[in-house]
């Protein structure tokens, strides 16, 4: 069974500082990987996805993530935090084998706080 | 936004009553999911569907049932609501080899 671990339930950074949100996965086959963002009282919005093309994936709002198979990691980064980045971020994994296995398994989420 | 609508958006119900939440899509996607979101637990899968009348259980399916009689609608029923089912419920839709799109959520309170 696949699983996702997000290290740190709460990350706090200063405006302009580097954002690093960590995600490690376990999967029996090379997976699809996703980062979603959730703003207060809203649904989840896709930030970026890895589906076996380039290992460095660029997403919306200046975020990017790198797939490292050897480390089973898919960490999310942004060079310079903005106040509007304050939200909860979820990493998710989906099996490639199709059928019922496309379903997403989520990590527990990381709440990002950006301090002025 | 992807064509996915959840109804109702908010509901307060009494313990022991049945409750049905509806998810409607206009994207003709094959896969539909129901998740619940609780603080400290992230999103947990309740049930999912991979086609009309094809459904399966997720990790927290006890006390819930689903039905999908047509592609566009996926219903989640709490057979006898309990306070532990107070949560925010999200529906998601997904095509093959694509990301999932989420609805805006239903905030359910069981009193």
């Amino acid at each position: 069974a696949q699983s996702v671990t997000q290290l740190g339930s709460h990350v706090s950074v200063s405006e302009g500082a580097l954002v690093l949100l960590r995600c490690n996965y376990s999967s029996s086959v090379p997976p699809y990987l996703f980062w979603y963002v959730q703003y207060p009282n809203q649904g989840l919005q896709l930030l970026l996805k890895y589906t076996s093309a380039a290992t460095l994936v660029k997403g919306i709002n200046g975020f990017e993530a790198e797939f490292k198979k050897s480390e089973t990691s898919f960490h999310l980064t942004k060079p310079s935090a903005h106040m509007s980045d304050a939200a909860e971020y979820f990493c998710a994994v989906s099996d490639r084998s199709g059928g019922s296995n496309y379903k997403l398994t989520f990590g527990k989420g990381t709440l990002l706080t950006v301090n002025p | 936004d992807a064509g996915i609508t959840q109804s109702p958006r908010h509901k307060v119900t009494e313990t022991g009553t049945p409750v049905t939440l509806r998810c409607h899509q206009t994207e003709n996607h094959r896969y539909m999911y129901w998740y619940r979101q609780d603080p400290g637990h992230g999103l947990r899968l309740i049930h999912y569907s991979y086609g009309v009348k094809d459904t399966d259980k997720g990790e927290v399916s006890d006390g819930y049932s689903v039905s999908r009689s047509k592609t566009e609608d996926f219903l989640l029923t709490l057979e006898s609501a309990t306070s532990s089912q107070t949560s925010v419920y999200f529906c998601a839709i997904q095509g093959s080899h694509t990301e999932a799109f989420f609805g805006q959520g239903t905030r359910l309170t069981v009193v």
Side-chain angles (χ1 to χ4, degrees), chain B residues 26-39:
Chain B
T26 57
E27 305 296 321
N28 201 36
H29 282 336
R30 177 181 177 188
Y31 301 96
M32 298 186 76
Y33 309 89
W34 277 107
Y35 289 89
R36 61 178 288 175
Q37 184 178 25
D38 305 286

Side-chain angles (χ1 to χ4, degrees), chain B residues 35-75:
Chain B
Y35 289 89
R36 61 178 288 175
Q37 184 178 25
D38 305 286
H41 291 276
L43 281 89
R44 293 180 291 174
L45 182 65
I46 305 171
H47 281 280
Y48 61 98
S49 170
Y50 44 96
V52 173
K53 296 185 179 177
D54 289 325
T55 65
D56 206 348
K57 296 178 179 180
E59 61 179 306
V60 290
S61 59
D62 287 349
Y64 302 94
S65 62
V66 290
S67 66
R68 192 170 178 197
S69 59
K70 46 186 178 178
T71 300
E72 56 265 36
D73 289 325
F74 192 35
L75 303 180

Side-chain angles (χ1 to χ4, degrees), chain A residues 34-57:
Chain A
F34 307 86
W35 276 99
Y36 285 84
V37 60
Q38 185 181 33
Y39 299 102
N41 299 314
Q42 294 189 24
L44 277 74
Q45 176 184 359
L46 182 72
L47 266 181
L48 49 79
K49 62 182 178 182
Y50 167 76
T51 57
S52 83
T55 56
L56 182 62
V57 180

